[in-house]
Amino acid sequence: MYITNDRSKLVLSLLDDLSYVKVVTDLGCMDGATLNGIAPSLPHNIRYYGVDYSSHPSLINTDNTIFVKCDLNIQLSEIKDIIEDTDLILLLDVLEHLHYPETFLQHISKMMKPGTQFLITVPNASSIRILIAWLKNDFPRRDIGYFDKTHRSWFTTKSIKNSIPPDLKLDKVGFIYSKKAFLKIFQKFMPSRLTSQFYVKLSKK
């Protein structure tokens, strides 16, 4: 499982209007690298919540960042007040670790206020990496990355669309490309098969 994984560039590139955002909550924030990464690009009066099941001392490096210890599998209701007050929710590389992802989405959608943006990233189960593992007669169990052994669910863009609760609106879905220029060009020929992750941007109706 990732400890330091700053996704701030991805987050900032996918959000068109942040003028109304006053509260940002990162669910499964780990050490808070993404919150720390986006903070310099946003107004100083924004309040940040980092939520995770374990504490990481490097999380808080700004005056307006609050860490909340919470197991999203069983304690989501304990952060209901935070979710109700949030304008932007991040769920980056987390949904695949939860016991019941569809149920989680249903519960959290009921807590969100209208207009709240919700950004999710998950591993791409339609990736050629699954085929390669099958051809090798193997399914690796690694500590981090695509074949993280703590992944409980796998998603395609179609399957996650079917999991979206009716009170959430699908704004955008897309694939996450490699940071390496050559590989990125190659991936764009067939992104659904050649990328390892995709994102879904939702908003509360």
Side-chain angles (χ1 to χ4, degrees), residues 28-61:
C29 65
M30 296 304 286
D31 67 348
T34 297
L35 288 181
N36 294 336
I38 66 175
S41 300
L42 300 180
H44 296 298
N45 62 340
I46 290 182
R47 188 164 72 257
Y48 300 93
Y49 289 97
V51 178
D52 207 278
Y53 68 92
S54 59
S55 301
H56 297 276
S58 62
L59 172 65
I60 301 175
N61 69 359

Side-chain angles (χ1 to χ4, degrees), residues 97-112:
H97 297 277
L98 300 181
H99 297 319
Y100 305 104
E102 292 84 3
T103 303
F104 174 86
L105 291 175
Q106 292 168 6
H107 288 168
I108 197 171
S109 69
K110 290 179 172 60
M111 301 177 186
M112 294 164 58

Side-chain angles (χ1 to χ4, degrees), residues 96 123-125 130 139 145-148 151-156 159:
E96 62 270 24
N124 176 22
I130 296 288
F139 197 85
Y146 186 76
F147 289 106
D148 188 323
H151 287 181
R152 294 177 174 271
S153 300
W154 294 82
F155 302 93
T156 65
S159 71

Side-chain angles (χ1 to χ4, degrees), residues 18-29:
L18 293 171
S19 60
Y20 73 96
V21 174
K22 302 299 180 187
V23 179
V24 177
T25 298
D26 188 356
L27 300 176
C29 65

Side-chain angles (χ1 to χ4, degrees), residues 12-179:
L12 293 170
S13 70
L14 294 176
L15 301 174
D16 303 322
D17 181 15
L18 293 171
S19 60
Y20 73 96
V21 174
K22 302 299 180 187
V23 179
V24 177
T25 298
D26 188 356
L27 300 176
C29 65
M30 296 304 286
D31 67 348
T34 297
L35 288 181
N36 294 336
I38 66 175
S41 300
L42 300 180
H44 296 298
N45 62 340
I46 290 182
R47 188 164 72 257
Y48 300 93
Y49 289 97
V51 178
D52 207 278
Y53 68 92
S54 59
S55 301
H56 297 276
S58 62
L59 172 65
I60 301 175
N61 69 359
T62 59
D63 294 335
N64 52 350
T65 302
I66 301 170
F67 174 76
V68 180
K69 190 171 183 178
C70 174
D71 185 337
L72 297 176
N73 281 305
I74 58 176
Q75 297 176 307
L76 181 61
S77 60
E78 295 186 14
I79 58 170
K80 183 174 183 290
D81 291 345
I82 294 175
I83 299 300
E84 289 176 342
D85 195 37
T86 297
D87 305 298
L88 170 61
I89 298 173
L90 306 177
L91 191 73
L92 310 178
D93 308 336
V94 173
L95 194 65
E96 62 270 24
H97 297 277
L98 300 181
H99 297 319
Y100 305 104
E102 292 84 3
T103 303
F104 174 86
L105 291 175
Q106 292 168 6
H107 288 168
I108 197 171
S109 69
K110 290 179 172 60
M111 301 177 186
M112 294 164 58
K113 63 184 179 182
T116 297
Q117 297 183 71
F118 192 10
L119 184 59
I120 301 170
T121 63
V122 290
N124 176 22
S126 65
S127 169
I128 195 174
R129 297 179 70 174
I130 296 288
L131 174 60
I132 293 172
W134 180 79
L135 291 172
K136 290 182 176 180
N137 194 28
D138 184 27
F139 197 85
R141 289 175 58 78
R142 312 210 186 275
D143 291 332
I144 62 172
Y146 186 76
F147 289 106
D148 188 323
K149 60 188 177 184
T150 64
H151 287 181
R152 294 177 174 271
S153 300
W154 294 82
F155 302 93
T156 65
T157 54
K158 181 177 180 179
S159 71
I160 205 164
K161 286 177 183 177
N162 291 334
S163 301
I164 298 173
D167 52 349
L168 293 181
K169 178 167 68 76
L170 176 62
D171 296 322
K172 193 174 184 182
V173 59
F175 297 94
I176 300 174
Y177 297 101
S178 172
K179 295 178 181 178

